[in-house]
Amino acid sequence: MNGDLSRDELVEQGRAVLDWIAEYLEHPEQYPVLAQVRPGEIRASLPASPPREAESIERILEDFETKIIPGITHWNHPAFFGYFATSSSVPGILAEMLVATLDVKAMLWRTSPAATELEELATDWLRQMLGLGDGWFGITTDTASISSMLALAAAREARPELAIRERGMSGRADLPRLRVYASEHAHSSVDKAALALGIGLENVVKVETDAEFRMQPERLAAAMVADRALGYLPLACVATVGTTSTSSVDPVPAIAEICRRERVWLHVDAAYGGMLAIVPEFRFVLDGVEGADSLVVNPHKWLFTPFDCSAFFVKQPDVLKRAFSLVPEYLVTREQDEVVNYMDYGVQLGRRFRALKLWMVIRAFGTDGLAERLREHCALARKFAAWVALTDDWELMAPVPFSLVCFRYAPRGMSDDECDARNEAIMHAVNSSGDVFLSHTKLHGRFTLRLAIGNIRTEERHVALAWQRLKESVERWNDGTVER
Ligand SMILES: Cc1ncc(COP(=O)(O)O)c(C=O)c1O
């Protein structure tokens, strides 16, 4: 039999899938947040070779439930507090179904005018929500990592005298070392971008931070001066609004001033924290960003948009276009000078139609509704932080400007090494309960627990459960009822 499954099968199995989704979203607590399986277990439970004969969707869905779901770590669970907690909302899920149905490639305007124009519109809505001025061009990418890589590629292209687009970087005695600056707390995607672009890890200068994990502008300025003295070329700086470990905010206005003076491209990585600017009383988190050249925020992190959806904004789209535009004959169109062809602004040709979900999420909650949810997450984080701060033997490890709390168990008299081991043990105990999931970082060299709130369905009871599990884990250890 050729062709796709029938309409009747779609309707019948589609109903079953929708029922499953509805039940999942209503009762996520039936699953452990962190998958409780051993490496290789899921794969071993599945046939090693593909089936020759067609199988029914019904049977496949049975395996999905019994064999795949046990190996899922539930990012969409309201007690997922690891990394940066994220979530897909119902409007986003519905949009993804429509996107898969249309299967559009948003590469040329004509390959779906609505996909291109909706991307222009939805990113512009987001720009307005963030309180940014008019002069920003928006494009969606899959991740902040790629957005930041595009930013550094544009920074390189903003120096046409280097002629890197045509001549590349290797074997050139005339090319100075290109330097990129970021704080020691910047995300590893900055290093990866430098790897991918041939800038090299050695040329990512890690600028020291202050006691609150923020880049020190005077150290940045000094690093640039020292580099110039060695004949290096300061190319770009990445400032972070909401660093991954602690959600600290680099002083963007001062950094922007240095970059302007030094003619260095400033990219702001606001993948997580920048989104809070949609809340009027938190708009200040993007202060100074008008002085930057590019910015990334991730709707898939903290705007309830299913992964993937990163929004990259650039002030000089022509520079980004110069870095990447390459139009072979088979992609030439009559209208190319009048429209945006998004393939011109990045590496990919085929691009997902991400704008639909962003547009649907914004419409379905409204900007006030979205702001209210983010505000609530910050309030929950402050509440959790207060529980920690007011409890003997526990301490906060960093300020809590957003919805992330960094903390640890640190009874008086316990050595630093013992403290590290205890906190790691606490984290593993809590995560293996299956009720909540937390991750960690190291601050000032010490093991630190992180509780990140960002799921649209997280309520105070989930945060309270995390706190209860943490305290129970300490009690069980102290009672000797836990294996050491
Ligand atoms: C500040 C920051 N930048 C970039 C990233 C990378 O995000 P993505 O997974 O979208 O590449 C993260 C991930 O948590 C992040 O916290």
Side-chain angles (χ1 to χ4, degrees):
M1 214 257 291
N2 291 322
D4 202 352
L5 302 187
S6 70
R7 178 196 167 99
D8 286 350
E9 279 167 298
L10 167 64
V11 171
E12 191 186 333
Q13 300 308 327
R15 281 208 181 102
V17 169
L18 261 188
D19 282 345
W20 189 92
I21 293 173
E23 169 67 15
Y24 178 80
L25 294 179
E26 195 175 357
H27 297 296
E29 282 96 342
Q30 64 189 298
Y31 301 106
V33 190
L34 178 69
Q36 308 284 318
V37 293
R38 290 180 307 282
E41 194 177 326
I42 300 300
R43 183 158 183 193
S45 74
L46 299 165
S49 318
R52 292 203 59 186
E53 300 285 320
E55 296 187 71
S56 72
I57 295 286
E58 215 169 0
R59 277 235 32 219
I60 301 168
L61 290 177
E62 263 171 40
D63 282 353
F64 169 75
E65 177 86 58
T66 57
K67 302 199 167 136
I68 305 298
I69 286 292
I72 294 294
T73 290
H74 294 277
W75 284 75
N76 222 7
H77 192 296
F80 184 108
F81 299 118
Y83 314 114
F84 279 125
T86 60
S87 56
S88 61
S89 57
V90 169
I93 293 168
L94 294 176
E96 283 286 23
M97 290 166 72
L98 296 174
V99 166
T101 305
L102 296 174
D103 199 25
V104 156
K105 315 297 173 285
M107 53 198 223
L108 294 167
W109 175 84
R110 71 165 49 188
T111 57
S112 258
T116 296
E117 294 185 19
L118 200 62
E119 186 157 340
E120 293 176 272
L121 180 104
T123 52
D124 194 58
W125 279 11
L126 188 57
R127 173 193 67 75
Q128 295 172 46
M129 289 161 66
L130 295 169
L132 298 173
D134 282 340
W136 294 89
F137 169 88
I139 173 173
T140 66
T141 71
D142 55 356
T143 56
S145 304
I146 294 300
S147 297
S148 293
M149 191 193 80
L150 298 185
L152 294 190
R156 222 167 47 173
E157 196 53 37
R159 298 276 188 166
E161 71 278 14
L162 302 177
I164 291 174
R165 178 186 159 107
E166 297 308 326
R167 299 182 52 207
M169 293 175 69
S170 61
R172 289 183 57 183
D174 64 321
L175 202 62
R177 269 189 185 229
L178 306 182
R179 305 286 266 182
V180 172
Y181 307 83
S183 97
E184 52 192 351
H185 278 272
H187 190 262
S188 54
S189 53
V190 179
D191 302 84
K192 280 209 180 177
L195 278 179
L197 294 168
I199 289 171
L201 287 178
E202 271 186 8
N203 292 311
V204 181
V205 180
K206 296 290 165 63
V207 180
E208 261 179 80
T209 51
D210 64 15
E212 295 193 357
F213 312 103
R214 300 170 297 201
M215 186 193 286
Q216 299 189 48
E218 55 289 355
R219 303 250 179 188
L220 171 68
M224 287 183 187
V225 169
D227 278 353
R228 285 204 196 276
L230 291 167
Y232 302 163
L233 179 63
L235 181 76
C237 172
V238 181
T240 311
V241 172
T243 57
T244 314
S245 278
T246 72
S247 74
S248 59
V249 179
D250 289 337
V252 177
I255 294 171
E257 180 50 33
I258 294 167
C259 290
R260 192 194 53 74
R261 207 171 60 216
E262 295 280 343
R263 231 186 113 210
V264 164
W265 183 285
L266 174 58
H267 173 59
V268 176
D269 176 358
Y272 154 72
M275 205 53 88
L276 198 57
I278 71 166
V279 185
E281 66 272 26
F282 283 105
R283 189 142 288 159
F284 68 87
V285 302
L286 287 185
D287 277 359
V289 165
E290 292 300 342
D293 298 284
S294 56
L295 165 76
V296 58
V297 293
N298 271 2
H300 71 225
K301 274 199 184 358
W302 206 9
L303 205 69
F304 319 122
T305 308
F307 189 80
D308 56 8
C309 187
S310 176
F312 178 50
F313 293 94
V314 61
K315 281 246 190 80
Q316 302 174 68
D318 51 317
V319 173
L320 182 63
K321 187 170 177 181
R322 243 182 15 233
F324 289 109
S325 181
L326 194 70
V327 186
E329 184 54 36
Y330 43 84
L331 294 173
V332 170
T333 64
R334 284 175 143 186
E335 67 277 2
Q336 63 191 21
D337 295 331
E338 314 157 45
V339 297
V340 168
N341 285 328
Y342 272 114
M343 70 162 192
D344 287 336
Y345 298 87
V347 180
Q348 288 178 269
L349 174 58
R351 301 174 62 258
R352 277 164 52 67
F353 180 13
R354 299 187 189 91
L356 189 71
K357 59 188 172 185
L358 182 55
W359 180 69
M360 281 181 64
V361 166
I362 295 172
R363 289 189 63 182
F365 294 109
T367 56
D368 286 351
L370 291 166
E372 187 46 41
R373 286 165 172 84
L374 267 53
R375 189 181 283 124
E376 171 65 12
H377 289 169
C378 294
L380 286 175
R382 283 196 300 272
K383 198 166 261 190
F384 182 86
W387 296 336
V388 171
L390 295 174
T391 305
D392 282 347
D393 299 340
W394 292 83
E395 66 182 12
L396 292 174
M397 294 290 281
V400 183
F402 299 97
S403 65
L404 168 68
V405 186
C406 293
F407 63 104
R408 68 173 181 166
Y409 177 64
R412 208 165 300 137
M414 190 179 269
S415 75
D416 274 343
D417 287 349
E418 204 183 331
C419 232
D420 286 353
R422 279 298 294 280
N423 280 281
E424 192 171 353
I426 290 170
M427 185 180 78
H428 288 305
V430 164
N431 288 345
S432 56
S433 76
D435 292 337
V436 298
F437 174 60
L438 279 78
S439 61
H440 79 283
T441 188
K442 271 198 175 156
L443 297 179
H444 304 302
R446 307 286 29 135
F447 194 96
T448 301
L449 300 167
R450 288 171 78 264
L451 179 124
I453 300 170
N455 185 294
I456 195 165
R457 292 168 206 91
T458 298
E459 298 170 21
E460 183 170 339
R461 66 192 169 95
H462 302 107
V463 182
L465 181 64
W467 184 224
Q468 188 186 330
R469 290 287 175 269
L470 285 157
K471 285 188 304 177
E472 281 168 4
S473 147
V474 169
E475 281 158 21
R476 277 208 301 276
W477 181 289
N478 291 343
D479 293 350
T481 50
V482 77
E483 242 179 72
R484 298 187 185 200

